[in-house]
Amino acid sequence: MPRPTRESYGDQKPPFSYIALTAMAIWSSPERMLPLSEIYRFITDRFPYYRRNTQRWQNSLRHNLSFNDCFVKVPRRPDRPGKGAYWTLHPQAFDMFENGSLLRRRKRFKLHKGEKDSLNAELAALASFNRAFLARQAGAPPSANLANGGLYAPSTFVSRPSPEPIESPDTAALLPIGPRPRRAFTIDALLEPEPRRSSPSPPAPLPPMQPHCPLPLPPPYLLAAQRYHAELLAVNSHIIRLIHEW
DNA sequence: CTATGTTTACCTCATG
DNA sequence: CATGAGGTAAACATAG
């Protein structure tokens, strides 16, 4: 049976789980990261089946986002106000599907408590930093040093390149535990290149992952973020290519 | 208020 | 039969 294509389903229900549909949407986006509304849009755009009964399936989809550890909620940048957060995939969730077909899942992706805790700690730190930054802006409005758009990249992902567990990269070392960073440069370290607002559907080929020269030597954020993106782009380039053929 | 998230419960289905 | 994945409903909570 040939790989199904976008037009194969029409009004029929596509054979993909919500997790697969959401992963497709995220993968197809330039930053590998989307707000909920964009995930909805991706799905309704290419699967007419989901243009009906939206309350039902969108509730299910939100349930999946919250319930499954493979999805990570990343806080918005303070200069990009909006309704919800951005959703991305945990890099370790990439071997979740067999053969990359998105049709079958190997096993549920679950983080162990320690991993989950440190991830949550970092995301909370990010949100906390946002608040601090916002407060700072309120005090000194003029020059927001955040002109070039883009999003945070989650930075505390443990790299596990292959089935063979090589060494254990120290995740905790990536998280500045103690005093929250007070200077604004840490936010620059988290900036991503401008996503190139191509509005409708055609996702940009593969976004250039420019080194994005850091200003002052950035904290571990940048290195971790870059490693994260390298993982996204390298480990799954074949899957991403498949999705782009749709 | 609505969109977004979180959580619990219960159901079906496949698999061992 | 037990277990796990996935789908659905629903009861919240919270942010904009």
Side-chain angles (χ1 to χ4, degrees), chain A residues 45-114:
Chain A
D45 273 357
R46 49 206 82 197
F47 301 109
Y49 173 85
Y50 290 107
R51 290 168 196 166
R52 302 170 354 242
N53 297 318
T54 53
Q55 293 314 301
R56 190 165 50 139
W57 69 263
Q58 290 180 353
N59 182 27
S60 296
L61 189 140
R62 288 195 306 274
H63 161 74
N64 275 276
L65 283 174
S66 288
F67 182 73
N68 291 98
D69 287 345
C70 56
F71 298 116
V72 180
K73 192 179 68 174
V74 182
R76 279 176 182 271
R77 274 174 37 166
D79 61 326
R80 279 253 184 132
K83 195 60 171 101
Y86 281 77
W87 291 94
T88 188
L89 282 160
H90 196 291
Q92 283 177 231
F94 279 135
D95 55 3
M96 205 167 46
F97 298 96
E98 294 176 7
N99 67 44
S101 74
L102 297 172
L103 292 177
R104 253 194 318 281
R105 209 139 83 98
R106 230 195 288 269
K107 61 186 193 313
R108 197 188 293 278
F109 175 80
K110 270 297 174 194
L111 288 177
H112 293 144
K113 188 172 190 318

Side-chain angles (χ1 to χ4, degrees), chain A residues 10 19 38 56 70 78 89 100 109 137 197 210 222 228 238:
Chain A
I19 291 180
E38 294 296 302
R56 190 165 50 139
C70 56
L89 282 160
F109 175 80
Q137 287 296 293
R197 264 279 149 247
Q210 48 200 30
L222 180 59
Y228 168 73
H238 66 291

Side-chain angles (χ1 to χ4, degrees), chain A residues 139-156:
Chain A
S143 75
N145 200 5
L146 294 167
N148 76 334
L151 305 163
Y152 286 128
S155 54
T156 269

Side-chain angles (χ1 to χ4, degrees), chain A residues 90-200:
Chain A
H90 196 291
Q92 283 177 231
F94 279 135
D95 55 3
M96 205 167 46
F97 298 96
E98 294 176 7
N99 67 44
S101 74
L102 297 172
L103 292 177
R104 253 194 318 281
R105 209 139 83 98
R106 230 195 288 269
K107 61 186 193 313
R108 197 188 293 278
F109 175 80
K110 270 297 174 194
L111 288 177
H112 293 144
K113 188 172 190 318
E115 307 174 289
K116 195 164 189 167
D117 286 348
S118 61
L119 180 53
N120 285 338
E122 179 179 11
L123 293 171
L126 217 48
S128 150
F129 183 86
N130 282 358
R131 286 197 310 276
F133 185 86
L134 229 38
R136 193 186 184 78
Q137 287 296 293
S143 75
N145 200 5
L146 294 167
N148 76 334
L151 305 163
Y152 286 128
S155 54
T156 269
F157 295 116
V158 176
S159 157
R160 197 201 46 188
S162 50
E164 304 80 38
I166 305 181
E167 27 66 75
S168 68
D170 188 0
T171 312
L174 295 174
L175 213 201
I177 283 295
R180 208 88 342 289
R182 302 218 82 85
R183 307 261 271 91
F185 70 78
T186 51
I187 243 194
D188 292 303
L190 288 162
L191 289 181
E192 285 302 303
E194 173 64 17
R196 260 182 310 174
R197 264 279 149 247
S198 56
S199 45

